[in-house]
Amino acid sequence: MKQLPDDETLDKLLELAKDFENKAKAVYDLATEIDEKLRLRQEARRQAAIEELRKAKSKV
């Protein structure tokens, strides 16, 4: 049977896991923010394209 690490090692491992979790959350939050900005930009472009088509059709 394997022997568990001592308390000091376990504490270090737990701290590393918490740091990793915090960094992963920061990356997730950043990716979510970027996704939202891109979605809004694409929606604005789509609306602009629709308006251009409407203007072109009304001139014909």
Side-chain angles (χ1 to χ4, degrees):
M1 186 161 104
K2 290 187 177 183
Q3 186 177 8
L4 292 175
D6 59 23
D7 286 346
E8 183 180 340
T9 303
L10 284 174
D11 289 342
K12 288 179 184 177
L13 289 172
L14 284 172
E15 188 163 331
L16 285 173
K18 286 179 185 178
D19 287 344
F20 176 77
E21 182 181 14
N22 289 336
K23 288 178 182 177
K25 184 180 181 326
V27 170
Y28 172 81
D29 291 343
L30 180 61
T32 301
E33 185 178 333
I34 290 169
D35 178 64
E36 180 66 13
K37 286 181 180 181
L38 287 174
R39 188 187 64 75
L40 292 173
R41 185 179 294 168
Q42 287 175 337
E43 180 62 23
R45 287 181 180 168
R46 187 178 79 76
Q47 288 297 330
I50 289 170
E51 283 301 314
E52 280 294 317
L53 285 175
R54 285 183 184 154
K55 287 178 185 178
K57 285 182 181 180
S58 68
K59 288 181 181 180
V60 174

